[in-house]
Amino acid sequence: MQQTKITFLLAFLFLSVFSFAQEEKKGLLKLENVKINPVIGLQLWSTYTQNAQLFSPISGQYEAVDDRLNLELHRSRLGVTGQVYENIKFNIITAFDFVGKDALSATQGALNNGASPRLRLWNAFVQWRLIPQKEHLNVVVGYMPAQIGRESITAAFRVPSMEKAWSQNYMRRHIVGVGPGRVIGVNVGGLFTKEEQVVSFGYDVGIFTPQFTGLNGNTSGVQTSVLGVARLAFYIGDPESKTYTIGHKVNYFGKRKGLTVAVAASRQGTTDLFYSNTALGFDFLLNIDGFHLDGDWTFMTREGLPIIASAPFEVASNTGYVRAAYNINLSNGYVLEPSAMLVQFNGETEGNQQERAAIVGSLMGTDQSIEFGMNLYFNPNIKLSLHYTINDGELGAVQNGSSINNYYFQTNGMAIQRGDWLGLGLVTIF
């Protein structure tokens, strides 16, 4: 019955979007009604890794590897955004990341993208504003991040840290099963703001169909449930934007004086991997003149299937970050931005609970990083960064060589202890 209701809801949303789109059309599409903006973004890194270790199955211990310099095209974005008529927008972005990445460097992310880098889809969605000239009701359909966790819905090119808070990776893998955090779905959201209004708010409610729980990520399994996600944000002072968007940023370069406080939740029911999968979190952003403070924290639980274990069980984890930065305006018009960030993941550490976490595919142990450094903005779209990152983690009760979280695991299956790294980076957005 629940599945039938959800199917009808999805059908209603798609039909509503289609009908509004037809109203918007009013005849053949004219070229002057189409606006297309190319998107090009590059994140070039030079990093130096220290204290990294590789697990040796022979000795059963982690053994030191050489400290190393790594030149890397860490992220790239290529695509188009645009608008069709007044109320219909689109976003199609591709990515080719981690080109030249050394598997034994301490930076996060996938392995070297190879001599012929693989291009992948990053965003592909259409957004309809259903009430003309008002931001109260928007429908977004396509491939996109679910609206939970501030770092997950903020572009990597727009954060004050050199690397994004990797807590987003733990949260994304818990909710949608993949590190990029993108999933096909329908999201309804809006903004309620007025000039001179002290408190305003925005909302998002989405339905998605992740496929990570069966047949190596190709189905949700014999048993299936859709994923529901919701977020409610309150803005005290200036809102973050006057128009609705599913993308966010942190640094407003003194143009915003306001506080954002948001709560978000997700839930997916029974699949072949778990009985239920839930997340509950909060996030915030404070902008006062040149100072900005942001963060989020998410509490995650999975319930195990009774048919897999002797009885139903639950495993829990939590993850989040806090980051502070300040703009120092220089005489030549450039902006110097010192920043610092703490990121933490806390999973199960006791023996029995770690065994249960493995049954339902949950990450475990602990993973912590501290990053601090400086950014130099030539303008809001060109940034030079110099940062240092310290990584640490705990295995809990499992043995050495266990790949239980990102501190102990490299994407190709290597068991490691991720080292510390000094990075010099350049971000350019065209």
Side-chain angles (χ1 to χ4, degrees), residues 399-410:
Q399 297 180 342
N400 286 347
S402 300
S403 300
I404 60 171
N405 63 44
N406 291 331
Y407 180 75
Y408 293 101
F409 173 74
Q410 193 55 282

Side-chain angles (χ1 to χ4, degrees), residues 34-281:
V34 180
K35 297 178 182 178
I36 297 177
N37 304 307
V39 175
I40 302 174
L42 300 175
Q43 191 179 57
L44 298 156
W45 279 10
S46 172
T47 65
Y48 188 77
T49 295
Q50 298 174 302
N51 307 319
Q53 297 184 341
L54 177 64
F55 178 72
S56 170
I58 297 174
S59 66
Q61 301 295 322
Y62 293 94
E63 299 178 355
V65 300
D66 286 348
D67 296 346
R68 66 198 57 225
L69 176 70
N70 189 200
L71 305 178
E72 175 190 357
L73 179 56
H74 192 64
R75 288 185 178 93
S76 303
R77 300 290 181 264
L78 179 65
V80 292
T81 63
Q83 187 166 329
V84 181
Y85 300 104
E86 182 181 359
N87 298 313
I88 302 176
K89 298 179 180 179
F90 61 89
N91 184 303
I92 303 174
I93 305 294
T94 60
F96 47 102
D97 298 342
F98 313 121
V99 179
K101 183 178 186 294
D102 190 315
L104 292 175
S105 66
T107 56
Q108 300 275 10
L111 296 179
N112 181 17
N113 203 350
S116 299
R118 176 176 58 90
L119 189 70
R120 57 177 173 166
L121 186 65
W122 192 249
N123 288 331
F125 58 83
V126 177
Q127 176 180 322
W128 279 270
R129 183 172 62 179
L130 301 188
I131 305 175
Q133 300 179 349
K134 292 185 181 296
E135 301 299 322
H136 300 344
L137 184 60
N138 296 264
V139 175
V140 186
V141 180
Y143 186 62
M144 57 187 157
Q147 294 294 294
I148 179 172
R150 167 160 289 276
E151 193 75 343
S152 181
I153 56 179
T154 300
F157 292 76
R158 299 295 188 186
V159 298
S161 47
M162 184 167 173
E163 178 59 287
K164 294 194 76 176
W166 218 245
S167 53
Q168 70 162 25
N169 181 268
Y170 288 106
M171 186 204 69
R172 287 171 168 180
R173 289 162 69 185
H174 175 84
I175 295 172
V176 302
V178 292
R182 269 63 183 170
V183 63
I184 293 288
V186 180
N187 186 83
V188 178
L191 282 176
F192 289 81
T193 64
K194 289 183 179 180
E195 293 291 337
E196 308 300 327
Q197 185 171 297
V198 177
V199 179
S200 52
F201 74 94
Y203 72 94
D204 288 281
V205 179
I207 295 175
F208 305 89
T209 56
Q211 308 297 326
F212 73 98
T213 52
L215 296 179
N216 297 318
N218 288 288
T219 177
S220 57
V222 175
Q223 301 181 88
T224 183
S225 297
V226 299
L227 167 68
V229 180
R231 181 175 183 263
L232 179 62
F234 293 93
Y235 309 106
I236 302 170
D238 295 336
E240 294 183 37
S241 174
K242 293 183 179 180
T243 58
Y244 173 80
T245 176
I246 63 170
H248 300 267
K249 60 182 180 179
V250 177
N251 192 345
Y252 284 80
F253 296 95
K255 294 181 179 180
R256 183 195 185 217
K257 291 185 179 180
L259 170 66
T260 302
V261 179
V263 292
S266 75
R267 189 181 190 281
Q268 186 175 9
T270 302
T271 69
D272 287 0
L273 182 61
F274 45 71
Y275 185 67
S276 70
N277 192 46
T278 61
L280 178 63

Side-chain angles (χ1 to χ4, degrees), residues 272-274 302-305 307-311 313 315 352-362 364:
D272 287 0
L273 182 61
F274 45 71
R302 276 186 184 170
E303 290 185 281
L305 292 162
I307 60 173
I308 295 176
S310 58
F313 63 87
V315 294
N352 289 340
Q353 283 298 94
Q354 287 190 315
E355 291 177 3
R356 293 167 177 169
I359 292 174
V360 293
S362 288
M364 60 192 95

